[in-house]
Amino acid sequence: MKAGHKISLLYSSITISTVVIIGVVFYFFSTNYTDSLYYRYLQEKAHLIGMERFEKDELDKTDYHRIVIEREHAIPTDQHIILNIKNKKTKKILSYYLNKQQINKLATNRYVKFRYGDKVAVGIMYYDNEGIFAILLFSSNPYGEQISRTIRWTVLFVMLFSALLLYFISRLYAIKMVDRIDHDYQTEKLFVNNASHEINNPLTAIQGECDITLMRERSAAEYRSSLERIDREVERVIRIMKQLLQFSHARRENTDKKNLEKIQMSMILKPFTEASIKLNIIKDFTIAAQEDLLLIALRNIINNARKYSNDRKVIITLNRPEIQIRNRGIGIPQADLKHIFEPFFRATNTQTIKGHGIGLALAKQILEKYNAKIYVTSKEGECTCFQIKFKRTIAV
């Protein structure tokens, strides 16, 4: 089983189990509450029956009529029994409906709820000047069963719907998470492999040069020439290591707002202008960033545009909230466009031009820290345009 499916099943089982437990608990609490509420209504009606039966001679017609109306509008019941406690047959009749514990509870608490066959019932003790009476009230509880059934089906539907929804959400989430982890892993793996390859090339050249030089005695000029070649390769290694450190630093360092400063884009771009680079300012703007990191990102993109421009002019256009860097050179093959921001990737038409494929990846990492998006459009053999859009800018 794939890791994504395992995570999906694990997450689904935990969340679905939680939903089921909550649903079952809700069902029992709601049904218990419904039963308790129904028993309370029965108790109130039993009390009204007692008042109607025994208080007629003590109440005026208006109050007595009100009690009759309340009793008639109370919940429907099947039958009621009124027993005089002093009657010798009462205990026997009560024992027919109640057990000893319930009879004691009725006598102690003056109230008891019980079931008799398929009916729910309550018993109350009613005190009157005529004596003490036990009133038993029975009902088939048509509402309770209907409410319980409705709650049961509703809870079941909600649990099934939630289970399916949670399963698909967890599956989608797990697949995305695993894909992201796999993508990050493959990227890191490719990064390490490419870094090793890039560093290994000059080191191999240095080792080869040393081996050839040490094979026999040579003149001072030959030793000097060999050392110059070794020095160039060492510089190449240092340059690669410096770019790798900058890339790692840009990837891992969090942006601290305390270290940000207001940077006017025209001022940071003007030093790049020269004979082969032209700056057009339409609408200047300011952003909050770290100047050294922003310079690295812009320098990498501008140098990249100049390197592949076939000695033609590079045009930089500043127009809030974006910067466009355009050249007319070798362009980028369409198949390579989606990969140019990957570390160590080089377009298929750049193999004869020196480079390591780190600059654009580093620039993208830095710009994204300042809520900027970088886009590229290109036509092979004609032109390339890099477009940097900043999310938060301040007009100058």
Side-chain angles (χ1 to χ4, degrees):
M1 187 181 289
K2 292 183 178 180
H5 292 164
K6 288 182 179 179
I7 295 172
S8 175
L9 288 174
L10 178 62
Y11 179 77
S12 298
S13 60
I14 292 172
T15 51
I16 291 171
S17 298
T18 304
V19 169
V20 169
I21 292 170
I22 293 172
V24 171
V25 170
F26 173 78
Y27 172 73
F28 280 108
F29 268 104
S30 59
T31 52
N32 286 338
Y33 175 75
T34 303
D35 288 344
S36 298
L37 193 62
Y38 193 78
Y39 278 120
R40 192 172 72 191
Y41 289 154
L42 284 178
Q43 182 184 4
E44 291 174 357
K45 185 168 183 178
H47 188 70
L48 288 171
I49 290 172
M51 291 182 69
E52 183 183 4
R53 168 67 175 79
F54 298 107
E55 306 297 335
K56 184 176 182 179
D57 56 341
E58 297 181 12
L59 297 174
D60 58 40
K61 288 184 178 181
T62 303
D63 290 338
Y64 182 76
H65 182 68
R66 178 179 54 80
I67 291 170
V68 173
I69 295 298
E70 287 182 10
R71 194 267 305 162
E72 289 175 349
H73 286 83
I75 58 174
T77 53
D78 298 333
Q79 69 177 102
H80 66 269
I81 300 173
I82 301 175
L83 302 170
N84 191 328
I85 294 300
K86 293 182 179 180
N87 193 314
K88 294 180 180 180
K89 294 182 179 181
T90 295
K91 189 172 183 181
K92 185 177 181 180
I93 296 172
L94 286 176
S95 63
Y96 183 75
Y97 299 103
L98 307 172
N99 57 37
K100 289 183 178 181
Q101 186 178 0
Q102 290 172 329
I103 293 172
N104 292 333
K105 187 176 180 182
L106 176 62
T108 306
N109 299 333
R110 302 180 184 179
Y111 168 72
V112 67
K113 58 183 181 180
F114 62 97
R115 285 187 174 272
Y116 182 71
D118 60 346
K119 300 181 187 301
V120 295
V122 297
I124 68 167
M125 297 295 287
Y126 191 86
Y127 292 83
D128 185 66
N129 52 16
E130 297 181 22
I132 303 173
F133 299 89
I135 302 175
L136 304 182
L137 183 61
F138 300 87
S139 173
S140 56
N141 191 12
Y143 304 119
E145 183 60 32
Q146 184 179 354
I147 292 171
S148 295
R149 190 186 306 112
T150 302
I151 293 173
R152 184 164 57 247
W153 283 109
T154 302
V155 169
L156 184 61
F157 172 77
V158 170
M159 285 194 298
L160 289 174
F161 178 77
S162 300
L164 289 172
L165 183 64
L166 288 170
Y167 173 74
F168 285 114
I169 290 174
S170 62
R171 185 180 176 86
L172 181 64
Y173 172 78
I175 290 171
K176 283 187 176 181
M177 184 175 68
V178 171
D179 286 346
R180 186 168 65 250
I181 292 171
D182 182 65
H183 177 268
D184 291 344
Y185 170 74
Q186 295 298 333
T187 302
E188 291 292 334
K189 185 179 178 181
L190 184 65
F191 177 81
V192 172
N193 290 339
N194 288 333
S196 302
H197 176 74
E198 289 292 328
I199 295 171
N200 186 62
N201 285 343
L203 291 178
T204 302
I206 291 170
Q207 185 181 26
E209 188 67 35
C210 290
D211 290 341
I212 292 171
T213 304
L214 293 173
M215 287 177 67
R216 61 180 177 83
E217 291 291 330
R218 298 181 183 275
S219 66
E222 289 177 321
Y223 280 124
R224 183 179 183 85
S225 176
S226 178
L227 287 172
E228 285 175 352
R229 287 193 291 272
I230 291 172
D231 182 61
R232 284 196 296 272
E233 295 299 330
V234 169
E235 285 182 359
R236 184 181 167 193
V237 172
I238 293 171
R239 189 164 57 251
I240 293 171
M241 293 301 298
K242 184 178 179 180
Q243 288 179 327
L244 287 174
L245 287 172
Q246 288 175 338
F247 184 70
S248 177
H249 177 74
R251 289 177 69 191
R252 286 174 168 76
E253 187 181 70
N254 293 323
T255 303
D256 189 350
K257 291 184 179 180
K258 294 180 182 178
N259 298 328
L260 301 182
E261 52 187 307
K262 289 184 178 180
I263 299 172
Q264 188 175 340
M265 296 308 301
S266 60
M267 299 304 294
I268 203 169
L269 288 171
K270 279 180 181 178
F272 290 106
T273 57
E274 53 182 63
S276 62
I277 299 175
K278 181 182 178 182
L279 174 63
N280 293 329
I281 301 174
I282 299 174
K283 192 173 183 181
D284 198 4
F285 61 90
T286 300
I287 66 166
Q290 289 176 265
E291 186 174 356
D292 54 343
L293 287 178
L294 187 61
L295 274 170
I296 291 171
L298 294 173
R299 185 184 298 116
N300 285 346
I301 298 172
I302 293 170
N303 288 344
N304 203 73
R306 179 172 52 184
K307 187 192 295 185
Y308 302 110
S309 66
N310 286 338
D311 297 325
R312 297 176 181 175
K313 265 194 176 181
V314 174
I315 307 298
I316 304 173
T317 304
L318 180 62
N319 187 14
R320 184 187 181 198
E322 65 179 52
I323 302 170
Q324 281 190 3
I325 301 168
R326 184 187 298 271
N327 75 350
R328 300 188 63 81
I330 65 173
I332 304 169
Q334 288 298 311
D336 294 342
L337 276 175
K338 61 182 179 181
H339 299 294
I340 62 167
F341 294 112
E342 296 175 5
F344 295 105
F345 178 83
R346 301 195 70 211
T348 53
N349 60 343
T350 63
Q351 302 306 315
T352 59
I353 304 173
K354 290 183 179 180
H356 306 296
I358 303 175
L360 290 180
L362 175 59
K364 185 173 185 288
Q365 288 287 334
I366 293 172
L367 290 170
E368 285 181 348
K369 285 185 178 293
Y370 304 123
N371 296 308
K373 296 290 183 182
I374 182 168
Y375 307 93
V376 59
T377 55
S378 183
K379 191 171 182 180
E380 188 175 3
E382 293 188 16
C383 63
T384 300
C385 178
F386 284 89
Q387 189 177 26
I388 305 168
K389 286 188 176 182
F390 291 90
K391 188 176 181 180
R392 297 185 181 92
T393 62
I394 303 170
V396 175

